Structures are given as C-alpha cells and as structure tokens.
Amino acid sequence: MPMAEVTEFPVLTTDRLLLRAVTPQDAEPFRALLATPGVTEFSNWPDDPTPEQGREFAQMMAGAFPHGLGCSWIIEERQTAAFVGAVRFNYFMREWSCAGVGYEIHPAFWGRGVMTEAMRAVVVCGHDLFGLHRMEGWTLLGNGASDRVLEKVGFRYEGTTRGRGWFKNAYHDARWFGRVQGDPIGPPPPAAGL
C-alpha cells in the first residue's frame, strides 16, 4: 500500500524535546555538530565540513519534505531551545511504504536517552502519519550506541551488506536494521533531565 500524502510538516514534541523543520539558520549549528569530534566517526558525513557544505546540507534536509523525498527534523531541548542534533527519514520509497532513518546528536547529550526519545517520536510519526510499513537504517561496525538506539525503538538487526559504501577513502560494510508496522516500539525512556 502506498504511503500517505502528508502536506503539513509534522512538528513533534516529547517530554524533553521539540523536533522541528530545518531552516537556513540551522546550517552553521549543523555544520558545527558534524565538526565535533566523535560525531561523524561512524558515518558518511564529512568530519570537518566547510561552511558551504553546512549550507548545502541544511538546504538538502529542508527540501526533503516539500519535495516528497524524505523528512528532516532539528532536535531542540524544549526548555532551553538548545540545539541537540538532527534526525531524518533520508529517503522515502513511496510505492513500498518504506523509509530510511539517520540521526546525529551532540556528545553533550550522549548516554541520556535523548536520541531514543527522538527516534521513538519519529517511528510513531512514520507509521501513524506517513503510513510507513517499513523503516530501515544502517550502522557501521563499532557503533554500538547507534545499534542500541535502533534496537530500543523496535528495529531488529537484519544482516550486514559487505562493501556497501565508499566514503572516507574506504569501502564500508553496512549493518542493516529494520522494523515493520506492528513491531513493538518499546517503552518510553525514563523521564530524566537533559
């Protein structure tokens, strides 16, 4: 069954977080996030993007929803509006009701359940609003924290695709995770301060 047509951008809220649309003003904070040591270690994002790349990335993320290609959110702390990170449906496969997820979070928020909380909201939105049957994401070997985020919101490890990507001057194996409509999402993370 094809995905639902969603015309209004879905702003999402959780106990601690606001997930909102990407704006041009997010280019520099997102670039700075990617330049933060450790953030891009296990991803295909550049380790030290230029300001121009930051603008291009923000434009790409902002344009995904209006063009029906995906949906990107900036994650903010609700109480302070602090920039926490980003989470996305990187692509939609509309005929198959499938989407690919991706996310980044500032190290100041690592280990606090923040990305799990954001991903839980995105999973609910994906199934309930966009009508997705399947969501999928990949990680690189050694990125156990990202594996755990996916598993906590009901993704299951499905296998490794050898040599799936070429970036940072090497081929990389992709560890694939997926969930389908009806898979349990898991309990909300415990309420705790950011």
Side-chain angles (χ1 to χ4, degrees):
M1 173 184 292
M3 290 174 50
E5 291 296 327
V6 179
T7 56
E8 186 174 331
F9 185 88
V11 175
L12 308 177
T13 58
T14 70
D15 288 345
R16 300 181 288 176
L17 307 172
L18 170 70
L19 281 67
R20 61 162 176 81
V22 180
T23 70
Q25 290 73 34
D26 296 313
E28 178 51 28
F30 187 69
R31 186 211 64 76
L33 171 66
L34 297 182
T36 303
V39 171
T40 61
E41 179 181 0
F42 296 105
S43 82
N44 58 338
W45 288 111
D47 293 330
D48 190 16
T50 65
E52 178 59 29
Q53 286 176 310
R55 288 187 290 275
E56 289 172 8
F57 299 155
Q59 288 173 348
M60 175 191 67
M61 290 190 297
F65 179 77
H67 292 101
L69 303 174
C71 190
S72 301
W73 291 270
I74 293 298
I75 307 167
E76 290 182 348
E77 182 183 12
R78 282 179 66 181
Q79 290 184 337
T80 66
F83 185 97
V84 173
V87 61
R88 293 169 304 287
F89 289 126
N90 286 315
Y91 56 84
F92 287 147
M93 299 168 65
R94 292 191 166 278
E95 299 271 332
W96 294 357
S97 300
C98 178
V101 299
Y103 43 83
E104 301 78 33
I105 185 170
H106 194 280
F109 298 96
W110 288 358
R112 300 183 186 184
V114 174
M115 189 52 74
T116 300
E117 187 173 329
M119 274 296 295
R120 190 172 198 283
V122 168
V123 165
V124 170
C125 175
H127 288 312
D128 294 353
L129 182 66
F130 286 106
L132 294 170
H133 177 70
R134 175 179 167 81
M135 295 175 218
E136 56 193 24
W138 59 269
T139 67
L140 296 181
L141 184 63
N143 193 358
S146 192
D147 293 352
R148 286 188 296 279
V149 166
L150 292 170
E151 290 166 342
K152 286 178 184 177
V153 294
F155 285 70
R156 298 178 192 169
Y157 173 68
E158 296 178 334
T160 297
T161 308
R162 296 177 303 135
R164 175 66 166 83
W166 170 264
F167 48 91
K168 300 181 184 174
N169 296 313
Y171 284 104
H172 297 274
D173 299 345
R175 293 172 40 81
W176 285 93
F177 292 78
R179 62 165 289 119
V180 296
Q181 180 73 32
D183 285 349
I185 295 175
L194 283 172

